[in-house]
Amino acid sequence: MARPTSISNQQILDAARPVFLARGFGKASTVEIARRAGISEGSIFNRFATKEALFHAAMDNTEPPILDLGHYVGHGDLRRNLVRIAVESIHFLSNLLPTLMLRWSEREAIGGPTVCSRPREILTSLTAFFKAEKRLRRVVGDPAITARLYMGAVWNYCFLHTVAGYRTMSAKTFAERMVDGLWQGIAPTEQRP
């Protein structure tokens, strides 16, 4: 195979990510990563000082942008918005979960217990969303608890779907049913069924 005249760091990271996800940090081979990228192993170490540095760069680079919920606040039917946010969250978290699991399992090898701040950011974003909706009197209850219940249900769906292969319903069906259940506790009194 002819080598590319130049290769970007991003191309190396794109080649490394699936190898780390498939094999874990310990069993991932920089030789295999180099082969996938179409470069020599030495070329990797010209860009990344160690395998650990490559792992951090490849896995940190996979985090999707945080959910932006601001455009939902005060607009449209809140129940429909909650379903949309749940479906968006499921797609977002399903992409993030394998990376988080790998980073957690390799935390000692890669240096430290902090795996990712993304779950805290998501919880903060959801809490702010529910606080804003409460100020508008579109929901009742404790926004922090509501956010945790909502996020917990979505994480549970993603975990069972991704890790355990538990695929009894689509993301949309789950989101609709979850919101129906949650709505009974957070809807203003005049909107409860």
Side-chain angles (χ1 to χ4, degrees):
M1 161 172 65
R3 289 189 183 164
T5 55
S6 68
I7 188 165
S8 70
N9 285 358
Q10 188 60 49
Q11 290 169 300
I12 295 170
L13 298 176
D14 290 344
R17 194 171 302 111
V19 175
F20 284 127
L21 284 170
R23 306 206 190 306
F25 175 78
K27 293 183 180 177
S29 160
T30 53
V31 171
E32 181 180 355
I33 293 167
R35 191 173 332 131
R36 281 177 161 259
I39 59 174
S40 70
E41 185 181 25
S43 295
I44 290 175
F45 292 111
N46 287 335
R47 310 269 181 104
F48 303 94
T50 63
K51 182 177 169 184
E52 290 83 2
L54 176 62
F55 179 83
H56 281 292
M59 302 319 285
D60 287 346
N61 199 28
T62 64
E63 292 180 8
I66 195 68
L67 292 171
D68 176 20
L69 304 179
H71 63 281
Y72 285 114
V73 174
H75 297 286
D77 180 82
L78 181 55
R79 286 177 77 171
R80 281 194 210 118
N81 288 347
L82 290 171
V83 169
R84 284 187 201 110
I85 293 166
V87 172
E88 283 179 39
S89 299
I90 287 167
H91 293 299
F92 175 89
L93 294 171
S94 292
N95 290 327
L96 183 60
L97 187 59
T99 301
L100 287 178
M101 291 176 60
L102 175 62
R103 288 168 71 177
W104 176 257
S105 70
E106 303 290 350
R107 69 193 176 281
E108 290 177 13
I110 61 172
T114 302
V115 175
C116 177
S117 63
R118 197 54 58 135
R120 284 190 311 270
E121 293 168 10
I122 294 167
L123 182 60
T124 299
S125 181
L126 283 168
T127 301
F129 169 78
F130 284 115
K131 278 182 183 177
E133 290 291 356
K134 184 175 182 176
R135 279 192 300 274
L136 295 172
R137 301 182 196 280
R138 289 172 31 117
V139 296
V140 298
D142 182 332
I145 297 301
T146 302
R148 284 178 181 265
L149 289 168
Y150 188 91
M151 183 176 173
V154 170
W155 271 107
N156 178 269
Y157 176 87
C158 292
F159 181 81
L160 290 173
H161 191 268
T162 303
V163 175
Y166 191 64
R167 294 176 165 88
T168 60
M169 67 182 83
S170 70
K172 187 169 190 285
T173 299
F174 164 78
E176 290 168 346
R177 291 179 183 176
M178 184 264 296
V179 168
D180 284 346
L182 184 65
W183 188 250
Q184 295 176 35
I186 66 171
T189 307
E190 65 275 5
Q191 293 183 27
R192 291 186 185 175

PDB file of all heavy atoms in Angstrom, residues 137-168:
ATOM      1  N   ARG A 137     -43.293  28.394  34.837  1.00  0.00           N
ATOM      2  CA  ARG A 137     -44.446  27.671  35.392  1.00  0.00           C
ATOM      3  C   ARG A 137     -44.967  26.579  34.456  1.00  0.00           C
ATOM      4  O   ARG A 137     -46.148  26.281  34.432  1.00  0.00           O
ATOM      5  CB  ARG A 137     -45.568  28.638  35.763  1.00  0.00           C
ATOM      6  CG  ARG A 137     -45.168  29.683  36.771  1.00  0.00           C
ATOM      7  CD  ARG A 137     -46.337  30.576  37.136  1.00  0.00           C
ATOM      8  NE  ARG A 137     -45.953  31.786  37.784  1.00  0.00           N
ATOM      9  CZ  ARG A 137     -45.644  31.910  39.065  1.00  0.00           C
ATOM     10  NH1 ARG A 137     -45.647  30.876  39.835  1.00  0.00           N
ATOM     11  NH2 ARG A 137     -45.336  33.091  39.564  1.00  0.00           N
ATOM     12  N   ARG A 138     -44.036  26.019  33.669  1.00  0.00           N
ATOM     13  CA  ARG A 138     -44.418  24.917  32.773  1.00  0.00           C
ATOM     14  C   ARG A 138     -44.191  23.563  33.417  1.00  0.00           C
ATOM     15  O   ARG A 138     -44.652  22.546  32.902  1.00  0.00           O
ATOM     16  CB  ARG A 138     -43.664  25.035  31.445  1.00  0.00           C
ATOM     17  CG  ARG A 138     -44.190  26.219  30.635  1.00  0.00           C
ATOM     18  CD  ARG A 138     -43.413  26.571  29.387  1.00  0.00           C
ATOM     19  NE  ARG A 138     -42.725  25.597  28.632  1.00  0.00           N
ATOM     20  CZ  ARG A 138     -42.997  25.256  27.360  1.00  0.00           C
ATOM     21  NH1 ARG A 138     -44.015  25.824  26.728  1.00  0.00           N
ATOM     22  NH2 ARG A 138     -42.251  24.381  26.726  1.00  0.00           N
ATOM     23  N   VAL A 139     -43.431  23.529  34.523  1.00  0.00           N
ATOM     24  CA  VAL A 139     -43.244  22.313  35.315  1.00  0.00           C
ATOM     25  C   VAL A 139     -43.223  22.699  36.788  1.00  0.00           C
ATOM     26  O   VAL A 139     -43.030  23.856  37.137  1.00  0.00           O
ATOM     27  CB  VAL A 139     -41.942  21.544  34.980  1.00  0.00           C
ATOM     28  CG1 VAL A 139     -41.957  21.035  33.558  1.00  0.00           C
ATOM     29  CG2 VAL A 139     -40.718  22.384  35.251  1.00  0.00           C
ATOM     30  N   VAL A 140     -43.411  21.688  37.642  1.00  0.00           N
ATOM     31  CA  VAL A 140     -43.308  21.879  39.085  1.00  0.00           C
ATOM     32  C   VAL A 140     -42.273  20.896  39.613  1.00  0.00           C
ATOM     33  O   VAL A 140     -41.782  20.034  38.888  1.00  0.00           O
ATOM     34  CB  VAL A 140     -44.678  21.653  39.788  1.00  0.00           C
ATOM     35  CG1 VAL A 140     -45.711  22.662  39.288  1.00  0.00           C
ATOM     36  CG2 VAL A 140     -45.176  20.231  39.580  1.00  0.00           C
ATOM     37  N   GLY A 141     -41.958  21.034  40.886  1.00  0.00           N
ATOM     38  CA  GLY A 141     -41.039  20.095  41.514  1.00  0.00           C
ATOM     39  C   GLY A 141     -39.617  20.626  41.555  1.00  0.00           C
ATOM     40  O   GLY A 141     -39.324  21.736  41.119  1.00  0.00           O
ATOM     41  N   ASP A 142     -38.749  19.804  42.091  1.00  0.00           N
ATOM     42  CA  ASP A 142     -37.342  20.146  42.251  1.00  0.00           C
ATOM     43  C   ASP A 142     -36.610  19.890  40.933  1.00  0.00           C
ATOM     44  O   ASP A 142     -36.483  18.739  40.505  1.00  0.00           O
ATOM     45  CB  ASP A 142     -36.755  19.283  43.372  1.00  0.00           C
ATOM     46  CG  ASP A 142     -35.308  19.583  43.678  1.00  0.00           C
ATOM     47  OD1 ASP A 142     -34.573  20.043  42.770  1.00  0.00           O
ATOM     48  OD2 ASP A 142     -34.891  19.330  44.819  1.00  0.00           O
ATOM     49  N   PRO A 143     -36.105  20.934  40.272  1.00  0.00           N
ATOM     50  CA  PRO A 143     -35.438  20.758  38.974  1.00  0.00           C
ATOM     51  C   PRO A 143     -34.239  19.806  39.027  1.00  0.00           C
ATOM     52  O   PRO A 143     -34.023  19.041  38.078  1.00  0.00           O
ATOM     53  CB  PRO A 143     -34.987  22.171  38.600  1.00  0.00           C
ATOM     54  CG  PRO A 143     -35.891  23.079  39.356  1.00  0.00           C
ATOM     55  CD  PRO A 143     -36.200  22.363  40.638  1.00  0.00           C
ATOM     56  N   ALA A 144     -33.471  19.826  40.118  1.00  0.00           N
ATOM     57  CA  ALA A 144     -32.306  18.946  40.216  1.00  0.00           C
ATOM     58  C   ALA A 144     -32.727  17.482  40.287  1.00  0.00           C
ATOM     59  O   ALA A 144     -32.103  16.614  39.648  1.00  0.00           O
ATOM     60  CB  ALA A 144     -31.457  19.321  41.429  1.00  0.00           C
ATOM     61  N   ILE A 145     -33.774  17.193  41.030  1.00  0.00           N
ATOM     62  CA  ILE A 145     -34.264  15.813  41.135  1.00  0.00           C
ATOM     63  C   ILE A 145     -34.904  15.380  39.823  1.00  0.00           C
ATOM     64  O   ILE A 145     -34.678  14.262  39.345  1.00  0.00           O
ATOM     65  CB  ILE A 145     -35.246  15.661  42.316  1.00  0.00           C
ATOM     66  CG1 ILE A 145     -34.538  15.961  43.638  1.00  0.00           C
ATOM     67  CG2 ILE A 145     -35.903  14.282  42.320  1.00  0.00           C
ATOM     68  CD1 ILE A 145     -33.350  15.058  43.933  1.00  0.00           C
ATOM     69  N   THR A 146     -35.685  16.265  39.210  1.00  0.00           N
ATOM     70  CA  THR A 146     -36.300  15.950  37.922  1.00  0.00           C
ATOM     71  C   THR A 146     -35.226  15.638  36.886  1.00  0.00           C
ATOM     72  O   THR A 146     -35.334  14.672  36.129  1.00  0.00           O
ATOM     73  CB  THR A 146     -37.189  17.115  37.444  1.00  0.00           C
ATOM     74  OG1 THR A 146     -38.184  17.380  38.440  1.00  0.00           O
ATOM     75  CG2 THR A 146     -37.870  16.791  36.123  1.00  0.00           C
ATOM     76  N   ALA A 147     -34.170  16.441  36.863  1.00  0.00           N
ATOM     77  CA  ALA A 147     -33.073  16.216  35.914  1.00  0.00           C
ATOM     78  C   ALA A 147     -32.415  14.869  36.166  1.00  0.00           C
ATOM     79  O   ALA A 147     -32.087  14.138  35.223  1.00  0.00           O
ATOM     80  CB  ALA A 147     -32.047  17.346  36.018  1.00  0.00           C
ATOM     81  N   ARG A 148     -32.208  14.510  37.432  1.00  0.00           N
ATOM     82  CA  ARG A 148     -31.592  13.218  37.750  1.00  0.00           C
ATOM     83  C   ARG A 148     -32.501  12.048  37.356  1.00  0.00           C
ATOM     84  O   ARG A 148     -32.012  11.039  36.846  1.00  0.00           O
ATOM     85  CB  ARG A 148     -31.242  13.131  39.229  1.00  0.00           C
ATOM     86  CG  ARG A 148     -30.012  13.939  39.584  1.00  0.00           C
ATOM     87  CD  ARG A 148     -29.718  13.868  41.087  1.00  0.00           C
ATOM     88  NE  ARG A 148     -28.566  14.664  41.416  1.00  0.00           N
ATOM     89  CZ  ARG A 148     -27.333  14.184  41.501  1.00  0.00           C
ATOM     90  NH1 ARG A 148     -27.096  12.912  41.292  1.00  0.00           N
ATOM     91  NH2 ARG A 148     -26.333  14.979  41.809  1.00  0.00           N
ATOM     92  N   LEU A 149     -33.784  12.181  37.604  1.00  0.00           N
ATOM     93  CA  LEU A 149     -34.717  11.118  37.194  1.00  0.00           C
ATOM     94  C   LEU A 149     -34.709  10.953  35.674  1.00  0.00           C
ATOM     95  O   LEU A 149     -34.643   9.830  35.154  1.00  0.00           O
ATOM     96  CB  LEU A 149     -36.139  11.433  37.679  1.00  0.00           C
ATOM     97  CG  LEU A 149     -36.386  11.316  39.170  1.00  0.00           C
ATOM     98  CD1 LEU A 149     -37.726  11.939  39.535  1.00  0.00           C
ATOM     99  CD2 LEU A 149     -36.343   9.851  39.592  1.00  0.00           C
ATOM    100  N   TYR A 150     -34.786  12.056  34.981  1.00  0.00           N
ATOM    101  CA  TYR A 150     -34.803  12.063  33.521  1.00  0.00           C
ATOM    102  C   TYR A 150     -33.514  11.465  32.976  1.00  0.00           C
ATOM    103  O   TYR A 150     -33.526  10.545  32.151  1.00  0.00           O
ATOM    104  CB  TYR A 150     -34.992  13.514  33.070  1.00  0.00           C
ATOM    105  CG  TYR A 150     -35.222  13.716  31.601  1.00  0.00           C
ATOM    106  CD1 TYR A 150     -36.512  13.723  31.088  1.00  0.00           C
ATOM    107  CD2 TYR A 150     -34.170  13.958  30.730  1.00  0.00           C
ATOM    108  CE1 TYR A 150     -36.744  13.951  29.745  1.00  0.00           C
ATOM    109  CE2 TYR A 150     -34.386  14.187  29.390  1.00  0.00           C
ATOM    110  CZ  TYR A 150     -35.678  14.189  28.901  1.00  0.00           C
ATOM    111  OH  TYR A 150     -35.898  14.415  27.571  1.00  0.00           O
ATOM    112  N   MET A 151     -32.374  11.983  33.462  1.00  0.00           N
ATOM    113  CA  MET A 151     -31.076  11.513  32.999  1.00  0.00           C
ATOM    114  C   MET A 151     -30.860  10.044  33.369  1.00  0.00           C
ATOM    115  O   MET A 151     -30.331   9.265  32.568  1.00  0.00           O
ATOM    116  CB  MET A 151     -29.964  12.367  33.594  1.00  0.00           C
ATOM    117  CG  MET A 151     -28.570  12.001  33.121  1.00  0.00           C
ATOM    118  SD  MET A 151     -27.378  13.176  33.835  1.00  0.00           S
ATOM    119  CE  MET A 151     -25.850  12.414  33.332  1.00  0.00           C
ATOM    120  N   GLY A 152     -31.286   9.669  34.561  1.00  0.00           N
ATOM    121  CA  GLY A 152     -31.128   8.278  34.992  1.00  0.00           C
ATOM    122  C   GLY A 152     -31.875   7.308  34.092  1.00  0.00           C
ATOM    123  O   GLY A 152     -31.351   6.256  33.721  1.00  0.00           O
ATOM    124  N   ALA A 153     -33.084   7.675  33.717  1.00  0.00           N
ATOM    125  CA  ALA A 153     -33.872   6.813  32.834  1.00  0.00           C
ATOM    126  C   ALA A 153     -33.211   6.692  31.461  1.00  0.00           C
ATOM    127  O   ALA A 153     -33.122   5.595  30.894  1.00  0.00           O
ATOM    128  CB  ALA A 153     -35.291   7.358  32.698  1.00  0.00           C
ATOM    129  N   VAL A 154     -32.721   7.813  30.940  1.00  0.00           N
ATOM    130  CA  VAL A 154     -32.062   7.797  29.623  1.00  0.00           C
ATOM    131  C   VAL A 154     -30.769   6.978  29.682  1.00  0.00           C
ATOM    132  O   VAL A 154     -30.506   6.156  28.797  1.00  0.00           O
ATOM    133  CB  VAL A 154     -31.817   9.239  29.118  1.00  0.00           C
ATOM    134  CG1 VAL A 154     -30.926   9.250  27.893  1.00  0.00           C
ATOM    135  CG2 VAL A 154     -33.149   9.916  28.809  1.00  0.00           C
ATOM    136  N   TRP A 155     -29.952   7.189  30.725  1.00  0.00           N
ATOM    137  CA  TRP A 155     -28.713   6.412  30.868  1.00  0.00           C
ATOM    138  C   TRP A 155     -29.033   4.924  30.960  1.00  0.00           C
ATOM    139  O   TRP A 155     -28.336   4.089  30.383  1.00  0.00           O
ATOM    140  CB  TRP A 155     -27.935   6.844  32.114  1.00  0.00           C
ATOM    141  CG  TRP A 155     -26.977   7.962  31.900  1.00  0.00           C
ATOM    142  CD1 TRP A 155     -27.129   9.246  32.327  1.00  0.00           C
ATOM    143  CD2 TRP A 155     -25.718   7.926  31.226  1.00  0.00           C
ATOM    144  NE1 TRP A 155     -26.042  10.003  31.948  1.00  0.00           N
ATOM    145  CE2 TRP A 155     -25.156   9.211  31.275  1.00  0.00           C
ATOM    146  CE3 TRP A 155     -25.010   6.918  30.578  1.00  0.00           C
ATOM    147  CZ2 TRP A 155     -23.928   9.525  30.710  1.00  0.00           C
ATOM    148  CZ3 TRP A 155     -23.773   7.231  30.012  1.00  0.00           C
ATOM    149  CH2 TRP A 155     -23.255   8.523  30.077  1.00  0.00           C
ATOM    150  N   ASN A 156     -30.071   4.584  31.722  1.00  0.00           N
ATOM    151  CA  ASN A 156     -30.449   3.177  31.868  1.00  0.00           C
ATOM    152  C   ASN A 156     -30.814   2.581  30.518  1.00  0.00           C
ATOM    153  O   ASN A 156     -30.391   1.474  30.184  1.00  0.00           O
ATOM    154  CB  ASN A 156     -31.612   3.054  32.857  1.00  0.00           C
ATOM    155  CG  ASN A 156     -32.080   1.635  33.006  1.00  0.00           C
ATOM    156  OD1 ASN A 156     -32.965   1.195  32.292  1.00  0.00           O
ATOM    157  ND2 ASN A 156     -31.479   0.928  33.943  1.00  0.00           N
ATOM    158  N   TYR A 157     -31.597   3.310  29.730  1.00  0.00           N
ATOM    159  CA  TYR A 157     -31.968   2.828  28.392  1.00  0.00           C
ATOM    160  C   TYR A 157     -30.710   2.610  27.548  1.00  0.00           C
ATOM    161  O   TYR A 157     -30.556   1.565  26.913  1.00  0.00           O
ATOM    162  CB  TYR A 157     -32.904   3.826  27.700  1.00  0.00           C
ATOM    163  CG  TYR A 157     -33.235   3.415  26.283  1.00  0.00           C
ATOM    164  CD1 TYR A 157     -34.307   2.569  26.023  1.00  0.00           C
ATOM    165  CD2 TYR A 157     -32.465   3.849  25.203  1.00  0.00           C
ATOM    166  CE1 TYR A 157     -34.603   2.166  24.724  1.00  0.00           C
ATOM    167  CE2 TYR A 157     -32.751   3.454  23.913  1.00  0.00           C
ATOM    168  CZ  TYR A 157     -33.820   2.618  23.672  1.00  0.00           C
ATOM    169  OH  TYR A 157     -34.104   2.217  22.394  1.00  0.00           O
ATOM    170  N   CYS A 158     -29.820   3.594  27.542  1.00  0.00           N
ATOM    171  CA  CYS A 158     -28.589   3.498  26.736  1.00  0.00           C
ATOM    172  C   CYS A 158     -27.730   2.330  27.187  1.00  0.00           C
ATOM    173  O   CYS A 158     -27.207   1.579  26.357  1.00  0.00           O
ATOM    174  CB  CYS A 158     -27.789   4.791  26.826  1.00  0.00           C
ATOM    175  SG  CYS A 158     -28.580   6.188  26.039  1.00  0.00           S
ATOM    176  N   PHE A 159     -27.569   2.171  28.485  1.00  0.00           N
ATOM    177  CA  PHE A 159     -26.750   1.090  29.008  1.00  0.00           C
ATOM    178  C   PHE A 159     -27.324  -0.269  28.612  1.00  0.00           C
ATOM    179  O   PHE A 159     -26.606  -1.122  28.079  1.00  0.00           O
ATOM    180  CB  PHE A 159     -26.632   1.191  30.535  1.00  0.00           C
ATOM    181  CG  PHE A 159     -25.787   0.107  31.125  1.00  0.00           C
ATOM    182  CD1 PHE A 159     -24.410   0.201  31.114  1.00  0.00           C
ATOM    183  CD2 PHE A 159     -26.362  -1.039  31.672  1.00  0.00           C
ATOM    184  CE1 PHE A 159     -23.618  -0.809  31.638  1.00  0.00           C
ATOM    185  CE2 PHE A 159     -25.586  -2.047  32.198  1.00  0.00           C
ATOM    186  CZ  PHE A 159     -24.208  -1.938  32.184  1.00  0.00           C
ATOM    187  N   LEU A 160     -28.613  -0.478  28.861  1.00  0.00           N
ATOM    188  CA  LEU A 160     -29.213  -1.766  28.527  1.00  0.00           C
ATOM    189  C   LEU A 160     -29.199  -2.022  27.027  1.00  0.00           C
ATOM    190  O   LEU A 160     -28.970  -3.146  26.586  1.00  0.00           O
ATOM    191  CB  LEU A 160     -30.646  -1.847  29.074  1.00  0.00           C
ATOM    192  CG  LEU A 160     -30.750  -1.936  30.591  1.00  0.00           C
ATOM    193  CD1 LEU A 160     -32.208  -1.838  31.018  1.00  0.00           C
ATOM    194  CD2 LEU A 160     -30.126  -3.215  31.116  1.00  0.00           C
ATOM    195  N   HIS A 161     -29.422  -0.991  26.245  1.00  0.00           N
ATOM    196  CA  HIS A 161     -29.441  -1.131  24.792  1.00  0.00           C
ATOM    197  C   HIS A 161     -28.047  -1.409  24.239  1.00  0.00           C
ATOM    198  O   HIS A 161     -27.844  -2.318  23.435  1.00  0.00           O
ATOM    199  CB  HIS A 161     -30.019   0.150  24.175  1.00  0.00           C
ATOM    200  CG  HIS A 161     -30.329   0.034  22.729  1.00  0.00           C
ATOM    201  ND1 HIS A 161     -29.430   0.379  21.750  1.00  0.00           N
ATOM    202  CD2 HIS A 161     -31.430  -0.384  22.082  1.00  0.00           C
ATOM    203  CE1 HIS A 161     -29.961   0.181  20.570  1.00  0.00           C
ATOM    204  NE2 HIS A 161     -31.179  -0.279  20.740  1.00  0.00           N
ATOM    205  N   THR A 162     -27.057  -0.632  24.706  1.00  0.00           N
ATOM    206  CA  THR A 162     -25.700  -0.715  24.166  1.00  0.00           C
ATOM    207  C   THR A 162     -24.924  -1.897  24.719  1.00  0.00           C
ATOM    208  O   THR A 162     -24.282  -2.630  23.975  1.00  0.00           O
ATOM    209  CB  THR A 162     -24.931   0.590  24.456  1.00  0.00           C
ATOM    210  OG1 THR A 162     -25.671   1.677  23.899  1.00  0.00           O
ATOM    211  CG2 THR A 162     -23.547   0.577  23.866  1.00  0.00           C
ATOM    212  N   VAL A 163     -24.971  -2.087  26.021  1.00  0.00           N
ATOM    213  CA  VAL A 163     -24.130  -3.086  26.674  1.00  0.00           C
ATOM    214  C   VAL A 163     -24.799  -4.454  26.747  1.00  0.00           C
ATOM    215  O   VAL A 163     -24.172  -5.466  26.475  1.00  0.00           O
ATOM    216  CB  VAL A 163     -23.722  -2.604  28.086  1.00  0.00           C
ATOM    217  CG1 VAL A 163     -22.944  -3.663  28.832  1.00  0.00           C
ATOM    218  CG2 VAL A 163     -22.918  -1.323  27.977  1.00  0.00           C
ATOM    219  N   ALA A 164     -26.069  -4.460  27.110  1.00  0.00           N
ATOM    220  CA  ALA A 164     -26.750  -5.734  27.327  1.00  0.00           C
ATOM    221  C   ALA A 164     -27.538  -6.206  26.112  1.00  0.00           C
ATOM    222  O   ALA A 164     -28.108  -7.298  26.131  1.00  0.00           O
ATOM    223  CB  ALA A 164     -27.673  -5.628  28.542  1.00  0.00           C
ATOM    224  N   GLY A 165     -27.595  -5.384  25.065  1.00  0.00           N
ATOM    225  CA  GLY A 165     -28.335  -5.780  23.868  1.00  0.00           C
ATOM    226  C   GLY A 165     -29.833  -5.890  24.099  1.00  0.00           C
ATOM    227  O   GLY A 165     -30.539  -6.582  23.382  1.00  0.00           O
ATOM    228  N   TYR A 166     -30.329  -5.184  25.101  1.00  0.00           N
ATOM    229  CA  TYR A 166     -31.750  -5.226  25.467  1.00  0.00           C
ATOM    230  C   TYR A 166     -32.492  -4.234  24.588  1.00  0.00           C
ATOM    231  O   TYR A 166     -32.495  -3.037  24.837  1.00  0.00           O
ATOM    232  CB  TYR A 166     -31.890  -4.874  26.950  1.00  0.00           C
ATOM    233  CG  TYR A 166     -33.245  -5.132  27.540  1.00  0.00           C
ATOM    234  CD1 TYR A 166     -33.747  -6.424  27.627  1.00  0.00           C
ATOM    235  CD2 TYR A 166     -34.010  -4.089  28.030  1.00  0.00           C
ATOM    236  CE1 TYR A 166     -34.989  -6.663  28.181  1.00  0.00           C
ATOM    237  CE2 TYR A 166     -35.254  -4.322  28.588  1.00  0.00           C
ATOM    238  CZ  TYR A 166     -35.734  -5.599  28.659  1.00  0.00           C
ATOM    239  OH  TYR A 166     -36.969  -5.837  29.213  1.00  0.00           O
ATOM    240  N   ARG A 167     -33.093  -4.750  23.523  1.00  0.00           N
ATOM    241  CA  ARG A 167     -33.699  -3.889  22.509  1.00  0.00           C
ATOM    242  C   ARG A 167     -35.187  -4.166  22.384  1.00  0.00           C
ATOM    243  O   ARG A 167     -35.668  -4.592  21.339  1.00  0.00           O
ATOM    244  CB  ARG A 167     -32.994  -4.093  21.180  1.00  0.00           C
ATOM    245  CG  ARG A 167     -31.553  -3.614  21.203  1.00  0.00           C
ATOM    246  CD  ARG A 167     -30.833  -3.903  19.907  1.00  0.00           C
ATOM    247  NE  ARG A 167     -29.606  -3.147  19.812  1.00  0.00           N
ATOM    248  CZ  ARG A 167     -28.441  -3.559  20.277  1.00  0.00           C
ATOM    249  NH1 ARG A 167     -28.352  -4.719  20.890  1.00  0.00           N
ATOM    250  NH2 ARG A 167     -27.361  -2.821  20.139  1.00  0.00           N
ATOM    251  N   THR A 168     -35.919  -3.892  23.447  1.00  0.00           N
ATOM    252  CA  THR A 168     -37.347  -4.178  23.443  1.00  0.00           C
ATOM    253  C   THR A 168     -38.184  -3.065  22.842  1.00  0.00           C
ATOM    254  O   THR A 168     -39.338  -3.291  22.502  1.00  0.00           O
ATOM    255  CB  THR A 168     -37.853  -4.448  24.876  1.00  0.00           C
ATOM    256  OG1 THR A 168     -37.595  -3.290  25.670  1.00  0.00           O
ATOM    257  CG2 THR A 168     -37.171  -5.659  25.472  1.00  0.00           C
TER     258      THR A 168
END
